[in-house]
Amino acid sequence: MGYSLEVYDNKGKKIDFLATKDNKKYYVQAAYSVVEEKACNREFSAYNGLTQLDRKIIITNDDIDFSTSKVQHIKFKDFLLMNSLNHLYKALNSFKSLSSLSLVFYISLPS
């Protein structure tokens, strides 16, 4: 079975998707780009007030990795090739002891 999806209202700030599957919650923001400071602040501030245990993801077309210690950035083209959101967090959990984390996904695209 797939993910259960809904729009989530975080105290007046809309989070595009709350994806739930197997009692795991993923708060997902989708934006064309967060390169501009105004867009970055708008998208990332939607997560304010969520607990550290909540999984937060932002999906954009940007090639620059905008991941923080609290929010994982996924490039849109990489997101389209993913089988599940869960494998991303398995990788993150193996790097818990690092104070800052920057994951780079190497995906072979067909030529």
Side-chain angles (χ1 to χ4, degrees):
M1 182 160 187
Y3 291 88
S4 168
L5 293 177
E6 62 184 271
V7 175
Y8 184 77
D9 185 326
N10 185 20
K11 300 175 186 168
K13 293 197 176 197
K14 178 186 69 90
I15 294 180
D16 296 325
F17 303 101
L18 168 55
T20 307
K21 182 177 182 180
D22 300 328
N23 294 322
K24 294 178 184 169
K25 293 183 178 182
Y26 304 89
Y27 295 90
V28 181
Q29 286 286 82
Y32 183 78
S33 175
V34 292
V35 170
E36 292 184 16
E37 186 176 355
K38 183 177 178 180
C40 188
N41 290 339
R42 179 186 65 242
E43 299 299 329
F44 279 81
S45 70
Y47 296 118
N48 291 346
L50 297 176
T51 70
Q52 292 285 5
L53 299 176
D54 295 324
R55 296 175 170 123
K56 302 163 208 75
I57 299 168
I58 187 160
I59 301 168
T60 74
N61 283 316
D62 298 318
D63 286 326
I64 300 168
D65 185 357
F66 285 93
S67 295
T68 68
S69 61
K70 298 177 183 178
V71 179
Q72 179 61 44
H73 175 240
I74 302 174
K75 298 172 191 169
F76 181 65
K77 63 184 177 185
D78 294 343
F79 175 76
L80 292 175
L81 297 173
M82 293 172 66
N83 292 328
S84 146
L85 295 175
N86 196 37
H87 85 276
L88 170 68
Y89 279 91
K90 286 180 184 175
L92 285 173
N93 285 335
S94 66
F95 292 100
K96 269 187 175 177
S97 63
L98 297 177
S99 59
S100 66
L101 173 65
S102 177
L103 280 180
V104 178
F105 293 93
Y106 295 96
I107 296 177
S108 300
L109 297 173
S111 29

